[in-house]
Amino acid sequence: MQQVVRLLGDLGERYGAEHAFYNLRTPADAIKLLSINYPEFKAELITAHEKGIGYRVLQAGVDLNFDELQLPIGQNDLIITPVLVGQGGAGKIFAGIGLIAISFLLPGAGLFGTVGLFGAGQAAVGLSTIAVLNAAAVGTALSAIGASMIIGGVTEMLSPQLDIGNLGGANTRDDLRPTRPESVNRGADGQQSYAYLGAQNTVGVGATIPVAYGKVLIGSHVISADVDVADESDPLKTTTRTPGADTVTVQGNKLEFGARRDDMARWNSVHFLNNRSNTAADTFIDPKKDDELTAANNFRLEFSEGPTKNPNEYFVFLEVNKLFELVGETKTDGFISYQIESRRQDTDDIHARTGGTIQGLITEPYRWYHKFDPNKAPNIDFYNLDIKILDASVDSSVNFIIRHGFRPSIS
């Protein structure tokens, strides 16, 4: 199954807004693969807390907590978005270093051992005094401690705390220079920040409180604020991603027109020199696991009788009228796994077999073909084409259509 990971904000601009992975087990696996594919991504998350940046991890509009990062990932898109770390409890904002830790930590793997998150041959900070101990044993013993401190999303323990300076005893203008974090709304570098909250009339302890006379325009006293991540382009979430041919793969390959890959390619229209198709009969309506059919028309193979019977000129063309699975009111990726066989007519003797899996999210027809060798046997001329659905997860409106014949003209 394919899962999509979306990076928002600066992360998306630097490392790509959308990443598709297959058969992920957990959200932590997604973060690990991103870190492997993009070492700069891993480095950025490790040091992000120094800049006052944390991260929210969401799925289906819900913030994930620490425990849920190790649960099965599900079908909805996984969203990772950077946020400014405020004062007080961190809530469901993770430190970047915590996300890296949980994605690479395995029970007993020795996160703090000789080879781990912080590089080969190094122990975690604070372990130099016990370096004489067995590194593997130390890593195992400290894994639980490291997980509870680093991975638990306790951002305040990792992020630099704001230093308000000696404001209580300040008596000069220089002591209250603007670079100090006089307002509780200043960022980690001491500069005034209006991110999310806007202007406020709240100041830090010891700072000067101005007295205004007459009519003045002042900021409100914000009690709390929250930020929700939403895709306004599809407010009802009718699809998990934008449907289209670029979402479709066959055997993991994105097929093209003209150029074959693994003896497969896309097609738009076809005309056979010897057409053996009967699309009215050779169609799976709402294909399900273990459905099977034998093509209505058999075919004759003979090398010496020209291209209309030559096994080297035989092709099987396939088509789906659409491809998706409906979960509630939301369209998600669907798939069909199929098997193609050539069988000696009126027997159970199988002479050749191929197949594949098509998956993706598309609401219009998608067509592809196999250059199929039926494997003619000496003195055996007549064959049947058998198609079987090995597995499928599609909407009931999906049809799977089969065509076959010799010497096709493809466009």
Side-chain angles (χ1 to χ4, degrees), residues 61-96:
V62 178
D63 283 275
L64 303 184
N65 57 36
F66 161 63
D67 295 331
E68 292 169 331
L69 294 178
Q70 291 288 6
L71 294 179
I73 191 169
Q75 294 183 338
N76 290 301
D77 292 359
L78 187 72
I79 297 174
I80 303 174
T81 178
V83 296
L84 292 177
V85 177
Q87 293 181 324
K92 294 185 180 179
I93 298 177
F94 293 93

Side-chain angles (χ1 to χ4, degrees), residues 37-240:
N37 292 337
Y38 303 96
E40 298 84 357
F41 172 84
K42 176 180 176 182
E44 179 171 336
L45 262 64
I46 290 176
T47 60
H49 63 277
E50 299 174 359
K51 302 174 184 178
I53 301 296
Y55 299 90
R56 293 175 65 190
V57 182
L58 306 97
Q59 195 169 36
V62 178
D63 283 275
L64 303 184
N65 57 36
F66 161 63
D67 295 331
E68 292 169 331
L69 294 178
Q70 291 288 6
L71 294 179
I73 191 169
Q75 294 183 338
N76 290 301
D77 292 359
L78 187 72
I79 297 174
I80 303 174
T81 178
V83 296
L84 292 177
V85 177
Q87 293 181 324
K92 294 185 180 179
I93 298 177
F94 293 93
I97 191 173
L99 293 178
I100 296 298
I102 184 59
S103 64
F104 283 87
L105 175 64
L106 294 172
L111 173 63
F112 301 98
T114 56
V115 179
L117 178 64
F118 301 100
Q122 296 180 356
V125 175
L127 296 185
S128 59
T129 58
I130 58 172
V132 295
L133 298 178
N134 181 276
V138 172
T140 303
L142 293 181
S143 289
I145 300 174
S148 64
M149 294 180 64
I150 296 179
I151 306 171
V154 190
T155 310
E156 292 177 339
M157 300 176 66
L158 296 168
S159 301
Q161 301 301 302
L162 297 180
D163 180 10
I164 64 173
N166 187 25
L167 296 179
N171 54 15
T172 67
R173 294 176 61 88
D174 185 61
D175 286 333
L176 294 176
R177 60 188 181 274
T179 56
R180 288 178 179 266
E182 299 167 24
S183 166
V184 297
N185 195 37
R186 290 194 182 276
D189 60 356
Q191 300 296 322
Q192 183 70 33
S193 171
Y194 296 98
Y196 309 123
L197 300 179
Q200 294 188 28
N201 61 0
T202 308
V203 295
V205 175
T208 302
I209 300 177
V211 178
Y213 295 89
K215 291 184 177 181
V216 295
L217 182 64
I218 61 174
S220 60
H221 193 150
V222 179
I223 302 300
S224 65
D226 188 33
V227 178
D228 290 325
V229 179
D231 183 359
E232 295 298 334
S233 64
D234 188 8
L236 298 180
K237 204 60 180 175
T238 57
T239 60
T240 54

Side-chain angles (χ1 to χ4, degrees), residues 287-298:
K288 292 182 173 58
K289 182 178 180 180
D290 295 330
D291 286 354
E292 54 186 280
L293 65 78
T294 296
N297 297 323
N298 64 359

Side-chain angles (χ1 to χ4, degrees), residues 284 290-293 337-341 386-391 400:
F284 291 96
D290 295 330
D291 286 354
E292 54 186 280
L293 65 78
S337 295
Y338 57 91
Q339 178 178 276
I340 302 171
E341 294 179 334
D386 295 335
I387 309 291
K388 182 177 181 179
I389 305 299
L390 302 179
D391 199 2
F400 184 34

